[in-house]
Amino acid sequence: MIQDDAVVIETQGRAGVVTLNRPKALNALTHPMVLRIAEALTAWEQDPAVDHVMIRGAGERGLCAGGDIRAIHADAKAGTTGSLDFWRDEYRLNARIARYPKPYVAFMDGIVMGGGVGLSAHGSVRVVTERSRVAMPETGIGFVPDVGGTYLLSRAPGELGTHLALTGAAVGAADALLCGLADRYVPSDFLEELVRDLTEGTDGAPADKVVDRYALPAPCSDGLAADREWIDRCYAADTVEEIHSRLLGTGLPAAREASRTLHAKSPTALKATLAALRRARALDSLERVLEQEYRVSSAALSVPDLVEGIRAQVIDKDRRPRWSPAALVQVRPATVERFFAPLGEGRELTF
């Protein structure tokens, strides 16, 4: 077993087990944690005693609330580039998880947001529970969905992914399954026994078949299935302004609430996110989307809204960000295009 203050890496029976171990910080992901997980995956890939990999979060609150945004805030405020090194290794890990040759079982119990989605939703066996709350909430801090989030959400049915990416809304188990962010529902009361079966089971069954023994039909949708008609119609618009207009024009309370939610987000981040989603749909692989996301994240690091958004939501917690610019109509097309501009030789993320 390898253990430090942030992550526990161990082999239990026939499973390699990663436990994110920062429960007081909702298991927020740091650069050393990313490197440790990548190192473990390399070792287990060549270990014939390891049949499958599992990832879970310590504590009762969730798998992972995302990247350590306090560190990103300090980096952006200082004008340094440590976050770029973190994202480069994190995105490579996301791609590694998606292509991992052994079953990768992710326990998406509790809060799973941002970087936590990147560690789990690219896995081959993704388990949600009645406690799951899955989200990509980046627009609320002046950022854009990353860790392959624009790949996943751009491929959700209809415009559900656009709705989730722009609003940052969290979904439960049924809607995570509907959107393709997970594929098994297991009640949380069954998790301990499931883990024991995955680690100590002696019948040699593949990991997905073991999980199937505990999986049940998901409870009713949180609402996305019932709201598909207006979501698809409103979010199919070409601009965020038109999405706003269509949402308000429906006269539906849920659509109007979505409009109010968008109004509170960073205008620049909203426009960059919509552009990123539309471009991601046209890209043919997760790797190509991650390369695009690295450009977008690099640009966001120098945009004032990232520092301001993290300040308002996490540092000062006044929940009153002062976005610059403050209105959608003030965000110039050239500003959005800069999020997708080439970074220059030696600075791109490549696979």
Side-chain angles (χ1 to χ4, degrees), residues 230-308:
W230 67 260
I231 287 176
D232 285 355
R233 177 161 43 86
C234 294
Y235 288 93
D238 292 331
T239 67
V240 182
E241 290 94 331
E242 178 61 20
I243 289 172
H244 260 299
S245 178
R246 292 186 186 185
L247 289 170
L248 291 171
T250 66
L252 298 170
R256 288 181 175 273
E257 179 60 31
S259 177
R260 284 192 290 270
T261 298
L262 293 182
H263 185 71
K265 308 300 182 183
S266 159
T268 301
L270 287 174
K271 289 204 169 187
T273 295
L274 183 62
L277 287 168
R278 298 295 191 250
R279 293 177 185 225
R281 280 182 181 170
L283 297 174
D284 62 3
S285 69
L286 172 61
E287 286 81 0
R288 299 293 83 76
V289 175
L290 287 166
E291 289 169 353
Q292 173 178 277
E293 288 181 349
Y294 187 76
R295 288 183 176 182
V296 172
S297 297
S298 299
L301 195 61
S302 61
V303 171
D305 279 3
L306 180 57
V307 170
E308 174 61 13

Side-chain angles (χ1 to χ4, degrees), residues 5 13 38 74 112 166 171 183 185 230 266 270 294 319 324 327-328:
D5 290 337
V112 185
L166 294 180
V171 297
D183 38 46
Y185 170 75
W230 67 260
S266 159
L270 287 174
Y294 187 76
R319 308 291 192 267
S324 178
L328 287 167

Side-chain angles (χ1 to χ4, degrees), residues 13-15 48-52 103 196-211 213:
R14 60 196 188 106
V50 173
D51 290 340
H52 47 260
R196 188 161 52 246
D197 204 352
L198 284 166
T199 56
E200 302 174 7
T202 58
D203 64 358
D208 60 337
K209 301 304 181 186
V210 175
V211 174
R213 297 169 184 166

Side-chain angles (χ1 to χ4, degrees), residues 44-192:
W44 289 332
E45 185 173 346
Q46 305 301 324
D47 187 344
V50 173
D51 290 340
H52 47 260
V53 171
M54 303 181 339
I55 186 165
R56 59 189 180 182
E60 300 296 324
R61 298 170 64 195
L63 172 66
C64 175
D68 188 343
I69 58 176
R70 287 181 177 270
I72 294 171
H73 177 267
D75 190 37
K77 192 171 182 179
T80 49
T81 58
S83 296
L84 298 180
D85 295 330
F86 167 54
W87 289 327
R88 184 183 296 273
D89 289 326
E90 183 184 24
Y91 299 175
R92 287 190 179 280
L93 177 60
N94 301 145
R96 180 88 179 277
I97 290 167
R99 307 293 181 225
Y100 202 63
K102 296 182 178 182
Y104 182 100
V105 184
F107 290 99
M108 302 173 70
D109 185 34
I111 292 174
V112 185
M113 297 184 178
V117 173
L119 289 179
S120 57
H122 299 299
S124 53
V125 185
R126 305 164 299 172
V127 177
V128 285
T129 76
E130 78 283 357
R131 302 186 297 203
S132 296
R133 302 301 295 168
V134 184
M136 295 297 295
E138 286 77 7
T139 57
I141 59 167
F143 197 47
V144 178
D146 64 338
V147 299
T150 61
Y151 176 86
L152 294 165
L153 294 177
S154 69
R155 285 153 173 80
E159 297 293 338
L160 295 180
T162 310
H163 170 66
L164 295 183
L166 294 180
T167 64
V171 297
D175 285 338
L177 293 164
L178 172 64
C179 292
L181 303 174
D183 38 46
R184 305 287 200 289
Y185 170 75
V186 177
S188 59
D189 287 346
F190 295 177
L191 291 183
E192 185 175 345

